[in-house]
Amino acid sequence: MAEFYPGVSKIKYEGSKSKNPLAYKYYNADEVIAGKKMSEHMKFAMSYWHTMVAEGSDMFGVGTLKKDYGSSDPMESARNKAYAAFELMDKLGIEYYCFHDRDIAPEGASLAESNARLDEISDLLLELNKKYDKKVLWGTANLFSNPRFAHGAGTAPNADVFAFAAGQIKKALDLTVKLGGTGYVFWGGREGYETLLNTNMGLELDNLARLMHLAVDYGRSIGFKGDFFVEPKPKEPTKHQYDFDSATVIGFLRHYGLDKDFKLNIEANHATLAGHTFAHELRLARDTGFFGSIDANQGDMLLGWDTDQFPTNIYDAVYCMYEVLKAGGFTNGGLNFDAKARRASNTREDIFMSYIAGMDTFALGLRIAQKLIEDGRLDTFVEERYASWTKGIGKDIVDGKLDMKALSDYAVKMGDVEVDSGRQEYLESIVNSVIAG
Ligand code: XUL
Ligand code: CO
């Protein structure tokens, strides 16, 4: 098989002093940190859509990096793309990948033809999974690119569109199971609305939940034991996306009885679009039992849209890995790079440098987060800050022993309260000192 990235050999760990652009400086796959190999902590995944498909077009210009994989025949190109994907993962030492149905095989003239194409390409992917020892992290269906989904998929006003979406999800679940995936993602796509003037919101929300229930029932019936994930996003493409943020999604899942089967796939850039930090979304998921998987990327705070940049912000990676470690690590989820090289980063080497930058950033994040936990000052501070809840009146409140009258009597007797310092600046300086080493 022809090499698609001939200028690049296997990327190795060379340590922080290395100036080699095609080497890891912090990601050392087999190094053990906190009892686990770095590769097991991270579960890095390649996103098929950005890495293998998107050519860098934007609304002002066409693509800057051709990804036809040496053929103008769509199926030949899809096969070559699969070989290229495994060459890339092998060279980067990435174990997992994530895909939409339409990323791996071109859509046909009918659902039946599209499905037949998926059967053919997934046979090849299965063979390549075995040959290279790679796995699917999660699969999903593209329910947003084709014009039939202009008004949504599960939330479309037309029931035929809902049925088509269900057909696609059924197939995408078949593929996920066939390829050994441990997750299935619902990202809203166009599940939202532009104007209430044409929208029956109540029905749309009910239908979205119906589609998810159908997916769970079908998935479990074919032996899918992994997690279903919802990936929150507040806007883009629609003005009001129903899966706005983690809190909204958790409420939705509980309201519709989906909370046993679903967890969250939290994306950094989506968190910031919702006006939250990445860490906030992760903490909420962890504290409510919905922590599942992560789409690692970053936005540009001055732009305010979903730029899907490769993550290079060390603070964000530290706070993210802090949450991952505190959550006990990934089970069915992992760190998927839902990220693309900038349009002007237009060579095949750039995609390697982009992954190296992202993986090294998260490796640094893991190393520093573990040091912060070992350091213990943050944990101790928080523990002491809430100490009043473990004894006396606080414990009685938690144990449900006091009513409003009893609390009022206590407050009247107590006089005023002495309020302690939150010490934010001091705590931030601890983080800096641990980062600086
Ligand atoms: C879109 C997005 C998607 C999902 C998968 O913003 O993040 O790529 O991750 O559909
Ligand atoms: Co994403």
Side-chain angles (χ1 to χ4, degrees), residues 310-324:
F310 271 89
T312 51
N313 183 308
I314 293 171
Y315 284 101
D316 284 341
V318 169
Y319 293 133
C320 169
M321 291 315 296
Y322 190 82
E323 296 304 322
V324 173

Side-chain angles (χ1 to χ4, degrees), residues 49 100 138 140 144 185 187 231 233 265 267 270 295 306 308 338:
W49 52 101
H100 302 82
W138 50 257
T140 189
F144 43 89
V185 163
W187 166 60
E231 182 178 318
K233 185 175 184 183
N265 180 40
E267 177 162 329
H270 296 179
D295 268 11
D306 198 14
D308 282 343
D338 192 357

Side-chain angles (χ1 to χ4, degrees), residues 153-339:
T155 63
N158 181 339
D160 283 348
V161 176
F162 182 102
F164 202 103
Q168 256 184 264
I169 292 172
K170 176 186 175 295
K171 189 70 187 171
L173 276 163
D174 289 337
L175 298 174
T176 302
V177 171
K178 175 174 174 178
L179 297 171
T182 52
Y184 185 86
V185 163
F186 275 80
W187 166 60
R190 295 181 194 275
E191 312 294 22
Y193 70 92
E194 301 293 335
T195 171
L196 282 176
L197 297 176
N198 65 13
T199 301
N200 181 342
M201 195 198 288
L203 179 64
E204 292 199 0
L205 288 168
D206 288 350
N207 282 345
L208 185 56
R210 279 188 185 103
L211 189 60
M212 291 180 178
H213 271 293
L214 289 167
V216 169
D217 292 346
Y218 179 71
R220 299 306 181 212
S221 80
I222 59 166
F224 177 62
K225 298 203 171 46
D227 287 323
F228 287 86
F229 298 120
V230 176
E231 182 178 318
K233 185 175 184 183
K235 53 189 166 188
E236 252 199 322
T238 71
K239 183 164 76 174
H240 296 278
Q241 296 276 126
Y242 291 132
D243 300 334
F244 190 95
D245 61 2
S246 296
T248 310
V249 172
I250 291 167
F252 176 92
L253 293 172
R254 285 180 173 155
H255 177 70
Y256 286 104
L258 289 156
D259 47 317
K260 299 282 169 293
D261 293 282
F262 276 84
K263 292 194 162 56
L264 299 181
N265 180 40
I266 290 173
E267 177 162 329
N269 203 162
H270 296 179
T272 52
L273 287 179
H276 302 304
T277 61
F278 183 22
H280 166 89
E281 291 290 85
L282 291 165
R283 176 66 64 91
L284 187 65
R286 163 156 86 87
D287 281 350
T288 51
F290 284 91
F291 171 78
S293 203
I294 289 176
D295 268 11
N297 61 14
Q298 69 188 28
D300 186 312
M301 294 311 140
L302 298 183
L303 294 179
W305 67 85
D306 198 14
T307 55
D308 282 343
Q309 291 164 227
F310 271 89
T312 51
N313 183 308
I314 293 171
Y315 284 101
D316 284 341
V318 169
Y319 293 133
C320 169
M321 291 315 296
Y322 190 82
E323 296 304 322
V324 173
L325 287 171
K326 290 275 185 179
F330 294 113
T331 49
N332 289 322
L335 272 169
N336 167 47
F337 284 102
D338 192 357

